[in-house]
Amino acid sequence: KQIQAMISFILMVNKQGQTRLSSYYEWISMAERTALESEIIRKCLSRSELQCSFLEYRGFKVIYRRYASLFFIVGCSMQNNKLSDAVGDSTDDVNELGMLEFIHTLVETMDKWAGSICELDIMYQLEQVHFILDEMVMNGFIVDTNKINILRPLDLVDRETKKEESIFGR
């Protein structure tokens, strides 16, 4: 068996179901992505606040959390990897509470960067949001959760672009 990425995709969606950011860490065709996104978004939006934030759908463990008008959705592959096969563990390796904590850390990091993160910040500064996400997740695995370490490169780029004689020019 092939080792599967821990996180398969991350979505940021508004209350109307419009995707504001999507990041995939395993290959899924565009037609399948579109169908998967719409179905998962519909399922997450239709659930009440009293229901659990975890659901299983089409081989993915979906963990989501709502912050103000945005839903942060993380999809993890439920297929076991070589390590769990070697140990003889047949349960999935997804730590749902750990993923909820990751979502919370992502939102806190974005809050620290943008003040109070909102849908417009994601829409108009999409490149920086992807940069933050790329600093936290690599190849589907969480690599850093320290807010200062995550935001330092973004701060350096921001400071350099504001200089008169910056390496980026004007």
Side-chain angles (χ1 to χ4, degrees), residues 10-29:
I10 297 174
L11 305 172
M12 293 181 197
V13 180
N14 67 12
K15 284 194 292 189
Q16 290 75 37
Q18 299 166 317
T19 303
R20 294 302 179 200
L21 176 137
S22 64
S23 190
Y24 287 83
Y25 300 100
E26 71 178 48
W27 189 86
I28 302 173
S29 69

Side-chain angles (χ1 to χ4, degrees), residues 83-146:
L83 180 62
S84 32
D85 288 344
V87 175
D89 183 12
S90 62
T91 61
D92 62 277
D93 296 327
V94 178
N95 181 346
E96 294 91 350
L97 295 176
M99 286 296 129
L100 272 179
E101 187 60 32
F102 164 72
I103 292 171
H104 186 69
T105 303
L106 174 62
V107 172
E108 282 183 335
T109 304
M110 291 168 61
D111 275 344
K112 188 169 182 166
W113 161 70
S116 179
I117 193 71
C118 67
E119 187 177 347
L120 291 175
D121 292 321
I122 294 171
M123 289 173 55
Y124 293 119
Q125 298 180 63
L126 189 63
E127 186 177 333
Q128 287 92 334
V129 176
H130 271 288
F131 191 90
I132 290 170
L133 199 55
D134 290 344
E135 287 291 312
M136 294 180 78
V137 181
M138 190 175 296
N139 290 332
F141 292 96
I142 300 167
V143 292
D144 201 353
T145 56
N146 185 315

